[in-house]
Amino acid sequence: MYPTCPDCLEVYPESVKADMDARCAVCGHALFKIEETPPGRTSRRRGGRPGHKPYLRTPARSLAEQLADLVKEPGMEEALTSWRKRVRLPGILNDFFDGAISRELLGPDGKPFFRHDLDEDPDGELRIGVALGPAMWSSQKTWARFVLTSNNRYRAGNLLLSMIIPGPKESDPDQTQWFVRVLVNELIGLWRDGVVLPTYTHPNGRRIRVILVGVFCDKPAAHKLGGFGSHTHTFFCTHDWISQGQKATKEAFTPNGFRARTDKHHRMLMEEYRQATTKSAREEHASMYATRWSELARLPYFDMCRMVVVDPMHNLFLGTLLYLTLPSRLGRLPRLIGEPAGGSLTADQWLILVTVVGPLALPELWEGIPADTNDSDFFRERVETIRRHIIQRKTMRKGKKASNTTSKDQSALGSATEPRRSTRVRKPTEKAKELVLDDDDAGAYLDEDDEVWDDENEDNEAGDGSRLRARDLATFLKLCAALRLFLSDTITDEQLERADRLLREYCIEIIELYGEDIIRPNHHYATHTAEFVRDYGPLRGFWTFIFERLNKILKSFRTNNHEGGEIEATFFREFYRAARLHGMLAEGLKYPNDSVFHQTCRLMQDVTADGRGTLQQLAEDLEDMYIDDNVLLSFSPCSSREPMDRQVYYAFLTYMQARYPLQSFRSDLSLGRSPESTMLVDMATVFDYVVIAGYRYYAASRSAHMANCLALIRVSEAGRTWVGRIEHIVQYERPSVQGREMFAYVRWLRPAPNGVSLAESPWAQWCVLFLSYLIHSN
């Protein structure tokens, strides 16, 4: 727990606790407050001295301490080096180690940090790449790191929670760097000298080096951490020098349309900011060059412009953009989607809408929409309608702000029949004053359009069917196709180029269809997605859905007026307790079902199974994902031995006769044609689900959610794809031959009798791409 100045948020080492009179070296504020002894009690401290505690505390845990626990786990060292065993082909991106960053990062010896040319790390070391994933929780920020390996980066025990910046007031860009400095100090040492820690295979110690491979976060955090100006600054992009006035032009979506930011130039501007002697000089510099100082610049290997990434979750699914029953692992959409009462969609709901529901449902909903007639007047009129609507919304918002400052006499005007309401302007409390956020940059351009597109009291004046055309659907399907390609588990250079082209075409076309007023900075940020993929591999490897889920749990915590970092410290301890507990339970469930340890872990897991929206539930879900990701074939721990459904039994009998034609089988009700025939006993083990290649498939007979039982099945790469619902998952044991048969009973969806032609439908251009995505995603 680092003592922190409550005024300027300067962070101090724990050793300062020895001096109860210590003051902040920056602003002179006292760091500790005296704890008064309650009346009638005597102080237990030596010499009767009063106790003291910090006004504000920053909970943190060093990376070396967390790695010490991590590398002691069996199999962890092999998992961290498993990337070397994967076959890598030019032009194909499977994970981070196929990206450019992993090959360009340098170690302290000037050679590549990750040695792709060696079978193991040099000098017997263990080299680990970590990524920083800061995310906002109210006015605090959560800092989480995850280990970059191919199969366990999202395991609960591998989410290394490093620090939580205390609230309630959000730190400004310069104050944020004081917290970053603590992290960077350790990262420099772990990269340059490493740390010797006992591991599972090296109990006497092994040198471990760590490198920061990137920062993945939302726009405001990316600008604060990377030393860029505010995300509302005139120069809003972290990759090039495009301005706010150019974001709605075709050049904004043209490759290399603007001068690129470079690491060398950015570091020069950051140093100029740091050398400024007054606050006004620093603010003037930030306003002019959209640059501030970042502690990350102290990492000699870190590229400030390439390695600070606005992650795809925030950029594509929150800024760039029917109810169906979907498998629970996909999530679900609100029933009133598209209506004001439905509320705003979260990032994962946008993901479902654009990649699953939209491509399937919208073409059907578009039936009857007039075809395009190249009527430029129609589109011009619609653009003007949207513009008027936006201006109206801005005017209404300004009017609401102005009404809060009117006098009592002005507010009293109106109908005498209206009930009287208090017009007294409430004075903010001291705590409310602290919640006022500071501007990131003096003189920055404020993009007011960000507040225009809210869903409250939406009159839907431009959303009726008469205002739509077939071209609207075609444009939306381009976005869907681009995201399908970007979200592939494996992506080729050709697919990446196609996805980039489709995304740029989508952005240009929406300017033509809906006007310049709807364009936001996110649309331009999206054009850099292909660059991120080339540097880091497929998007799934570095998006931040898990961090946002962690923050959603944080928001549900009741503070109960706790101050001074107490709630942050409580969450910090609870996170590690929950992660360790469910890591232990997951390992215990691997023991035999009849073992005491397995039964104890199963009972403990069942007790906490209803903790939805809690840290326990998050940790359990992450453990399930981790366990499944490592498995080619596995059956659920929950099973029962019982007679098979008769339909399943006779289908199994037919299967056995076809598979073993030289052996005779008979049912339990028939006498058999031959005395040598084998009777198949109607008794088998049935399971809740089966894990195949990292995915769970549930049996409809033992599941409450039928959508979880649907599967796309293909026997071979060149074979035909079938769709069906898995009814039963069975393991049949044959005692006579000491063998067993494992199978699933599936109810297949039949093709339409006369066939279905997509040639004249909106799906014609995209059906092959979407089907290919579904197959490789399942």
Side-chain angles (χ1 to χ4, degrees):
M1 296 291 175
Y2 293 113
T4 305
C5 176
D7 189 22
C8 67
L9 300 184
E10 176 67 279
V11 183
Y12 290 89
E14 292 183 288
S15 58
V16 78
K17 292 180 180 179
D19 182 10
M20 61 183 297
D21 297 321
R23 291 184 171 273
C24 177
V26 177
C27 66
H29 195 286
L31 298 179
F32 301 96
K33 56 184 176 182
I34 306 301
E35 292 182 298
E36 298 182 359
T37 304
R41 296 185 180 181
T42 58
S43 175
R44 295 183 179 181
R45 296 183 177 273
R46 187 176 301 176
R49 294 181 303 169
H52 64 284
K53 67 177 183 180
Y55 279 101
L56 193 62
R57 297 178 297 173
T58 299
R61 193 180 183 205
S62 72
L63 183 57
E65 183 181 357
Q66 298 179 74
L67 289 176
D69 295 334
L70 196 66
V71 296
K72 290 179 182 178
E73 297 181 12
M76 182 55 64
E77 292 168 274
E78 291 78 5
L80 292 171
T81 57
S82 62
W83 62 272
R84 297 180 181 278
K85 300 178 182 179
R86 189 162 191 170
V87 177
R88 305 191 180 278
L89 301 175
I92 301 178
L93 299 172
N94 292 291
D95 57 27
F96 163 73
F97 294 99
D98 286 319
I101 292 294
S102 73
R103 300 178 182 276
E104 297 175 11
L105 287 173
L106 299 179
D109 56 359
K111 298 179 180 179
F113 185 86
F114 297 108
R115 297 298 298 272
H116 289 256
D117 57 328
L118 301 178
D119 294 333
E120 59 182 19
D121 291 322
D123 304 322
E125 297 178 351
L126 177 62
R127 298 193 170 185
I128 302 175
V130 297
L132 184 62
M136 180 70 71
W137 163 41
S138 184
S139 57
Q140 298 85 14
K141 283 185 181 291
T142 301
W143 303 80
R145 293 192 181 101
F146 55 88
V147 180
L148 275 176
T149 60
S150 60
N151 58 8
N152 67 354
R153 58 183 170 271
Y154 293 129
R155 191 183 183 189
N158 297 349
L159 288 174
L160 308 180
L161 186 61
S162 298
M163 177 183 292
I164 301 180
I165 298 180
K169 185 178 179 180
E170 181 181 357
S171 57
D172 64 31
D174 292 336
Q175 292 170 342
T176 300
Q177 297 305 321
W178 293 337
F179 298 96
V180 178
R181 181 179 58 195
V182 177
L183 305 179
V184 170
N185 287 342
E186 184 179 18
L187 285 170
I188 291 175
L190 291 174
W191 171 78
R192 183 184 58 214
D193 305 318
V195 60
V196 178
L197 298 173
T199 70
Y200 183 78
T201 61
H202 297 75
N204 295 326
R206 183 180 185 182
R207 185 171 299 279
I208 297 176
R209 293 187 191 272
V210 178
I211 194 168
L212 180 66
V213 302
V215 177
F216 306 96
C217 51
D218 59 8
K219 289 190 302 179
H223 284 257
K224 276 191 176 182
L225 293 176
F228 300 97
S230 168
H231 63 287
T232 60
H233 195 281
T234 301
F235 299 107
F236 63 89
C237 185
T238 61
H239 280 255
D240 52 41
W241 289 98
I242 184 176
S243 67
Q244 291 278 359
Q246 298 168 314
K247 68 182 180 183
T249 62
K250 291 186 178 180
E251 289 74 18
F253 309 108
T254 302
N256 304 316
F258 299 90
R259 181 167 59 93
R261 287 180 182 257
T262 63
D263 178 67
K264 181 178 179 180
H265 185 237
H266 188 58
R267 286 176 179 267
M268 181 192 73
L269 293 176
M270 284 194 298
E271 186 61 30
E272 291 178 0
Y273 177 89
R274 187 169 67 160
Q275 295 300 327
T277 57
T278 64
K279 182 177 181 179
S280 60
R282 290 192 295 271
E283 294 301 326
E284 182 179 356
H285 183 279
S287 181
M288 182 175 297
Y289 299 107
T291 304
R292 294 179 179 271
W293 167 252
S294 171
E295 289 288 324
L296 294 174
R298 294 168 51 210
L299 298 173
Y301 56 82
F302 197 84
D303 190 314
M304 301 298 300
C305 297
R306 289 175 61 192
M307 296 173 67
V308 178
V309 178
V310 178
D311 83 281
M313 186 205 73
H314 289 93
N315 190 35
L316 295 178
F317 303 124
L318 284 180
T320 307
L321 295 180
L322 353 171
Y323 181 80
L324 294 178
T325 302
L326 301 173
S328 58
R329 67 183 177 87
L330 291 178
R332 58 189 52 178
L333 294 174
R335 291 183 178 274
L336 298 178
I337 182 172
E339 300 181 20
S344 300
L345 298 183
T346 62
D348 53 349
Q349 289 171 337
W350 273 115
L351 170 62
I352 298 168
L353 176 64
V354 176
T355 60
V356 180
V357 178
L360 293 174
L362 290 184
E364 184 70 20
L365 298 177
W366 237 257
E367 186 176 358
I369 296 296
D372 292 339
T373 57
N374 296 322
D375 186 359
S376 58
D377 293 337
F378 166 80
F379 291 108
R380 190 182 308 111
E381 179 184 350
R382 186 172 68 176
V383 167
E384 187 59 33
T385 300
I386 294 175
R387 177 171 296 178
R388 288 197 306 268
H389 179 66
I390 293 176
I391 294 175
Q392 180 183 4
R393 297 295 295 270
K394 289 182 178 180
T395 303
M396 292 174 59
R397 191 177 67 252
K398 291 179 179 179
K400 290 180 181 180
K401 291 181 179 179
S403 65
N404 293 331
T405 60
T406 56
S407 64
K408 291 184 179 181
D409 294 338
Q410 290 175 324
S411 61
L413 296 177
S415 174
T417 61
E418 293 182 354
R420 295 186 58 185
R421 295 182 176 88
S422 173
T423 57
R424 180 174 60 89
V425 179
R426 294 182 58 186
K427 295 183 179 180
T429 63
E430 292 299 322
K431 190 171 184 178
K433 291 178 181 178
E434 293 180 347
L435 290 173
V436 178
L437 305 183
D438 294 331
D439 291 332
D440 280 358
D441 282 305
Y445 171 86
L446 179 60
D447 185 9
E448 296 183 347
D449 290 345
D450 285 346
E451 300 180 9
V452 171
W453 296 98
D454 55 3
D455 295 327
E456 298 179 1
N457 302 319
E458 180 65 61
D459 56 10
N460 198 29
E461 67 175 85
D464 58 291
S466 63
R467 307 303 299 171
L468 299 175
R469 288 294 185 272
R471 190 179 173 190
D472 297 313
L473 176 61
T475 300
F476 175 73
L477 289 178
K478 282 190 176 182
L479 173 63
C480 297
L483 295 181
R484 291 259 190 195
L485 291 169
F486 276 132
L487 294 174
S488 301
D489 292 333
T490 297
I491 187 169
T492 65
D493 288 343
E494 293 77 12
Q495 291 173 327
L496 190 58
E497 291 177 3
R498 183 185 179 191
D500 182 52
R501 183 180 68 256
L502 288 172
L503 190 58
R504 293 177 185 274
E505 290 176 359
Y506 162 78
C507 293
I508 292 175
E509 289 178 15
I510 61 175
I511 297 177
E512 301 172 358
L513 295 176
Y514 309 108
E516 300 177 355
D517 297 276
I518 70 162
I519 297 298
R520 304 169 71 176
N522 290 79
H523 291 94
H524 176 76
Y525 275 112
T527 63
H528 298 296
T529 303
E531 300 172 35
F532 301 153
V533 175
R534 292 188 183 96
D535 283 340
Y536 289 100
L539 293 185
R540 295 179 186 271
F542 57 91
W543 64 19
T544 61
F545 277 97
I546 188 61
F547 300 129
E548 292 305 315
R549 183 176 175 188
L550 189 62
N551 284 344
K552 185 176 181 180
I553 295 173
L554 271 168
K555 293 177 182 179
S556 67
F557 271 51
R558 295 184 180 275
T559 61
N560 295 328
N561 295 322
H562 287 190
E563 298 177 345
E566 292 181 8
I567 187 63
E568 291 87 348
T570 299
F571 175 81
F572 209 79
R573 289 190 292 266
E574 176 67 9
F575 173 82
Y576 281 107
R577 188 199 68 81
R580 288 176 178 175
L581 172 62
H582 285 281
M584 180 193 71
L585 295 182
E587 293 297 325
L589 293 176
K590 297 179 182 179
Y591 281 68
N593 292 358
D594 56 352
S595 67
V596 176
F597 189 35
H598 176 97
Q599 294 176 8
T600 302
C601 292
R602 170 61 61 188
L603 179 61
M604 294 177 65
Q605 189 179 60
D606 292 341
V607 169
T608 59
D610 60 345
R612 294 186 178 275
T614 64
L615 282 172
Q616 288 88 345
Q617 182 66 30
L618 173 61
E620 184 176 341
D621 290 348
L622 292 177
E623 283 299 327
D624 289 343
M625 291 169 57
Y626 165 71
I627 294 172
D628 292 353
D629 203 27
N630 289 305
V631 171
L632 291 177
L633 176 65
S634 176
F635 292 89
S636 64
C638 295
S639 61
S640 62
R641 184 141 180 97
E642 59 187 46
M644 287 183 281
D645 179 270
R646 295 308 291 181
Q647 192 173 8
V648 177
Y649 176 72
Y650 286 115
F652 176 59
L653 178 62
T654 303
Y655 161 78
M656 292 294 290
Q657 291 172 342
R659 180 172 182 180
Y660 303 100
L662 300 181
Q663 187 174 355
S664 177
F665 296 95
R666 62 183 175 87
S667 71
D668 53 0
L669 298 180
S670 65
L671 297 178
R673 299 177 181 178
S674 169
E676 299 179 355
S677 63
T678 301
M679 184 185 73
L680 295 180
V681 179
D682 184 12
M683 185 65 65
T685 303
V686 294
F687 298 90
D688 290 356
Y689 64 83
V690 62
V691 180
I692 302 176
Y695 287 95
R696 288 194 183 191
Y697 299 93
Y698 285 82
S701 59
R702 299 171 66 90
S703 175
H705 303 284
M706 294 297 103
N708 292 339
C709 311
L710 297 175
L712 282 169
I713 300 175
R714 187 167 62 177
V715 178
S716 64
E717 287 295 328
R720 186 175 180 181
T721 300
W722 296 87
V723 182
R725 188 175 73 183
I726 301 174
E727 296 291 335
H728 303 272
I729 299 172
V730 184
Q731 177 177 289
Y732 185 85
E733 285 142 2
R734 301 169 58 194
S736 59
V737 296
Q738 295 183 349
R740 60 182 180 177
E741 301 288 339
M742 296 175 290
F743 65 92
Y745 183 81
V746 181
R747 296 178 66 90
W748 301 104
L749 298 181
R750 297 180 179 180
N754 299 323
V756 177
S757 175
L758 300 178
E760 303 298 328
S761 73
W763 290 289
Q765 185 179 357
W766 312 105
C767 60
V768 175
L769 171 63
F770 291 159
L771 180 59
S772 175
Y773 174 87
L774 289 172
I775 292 173
H776 287 90
S777 297
N778 289 276

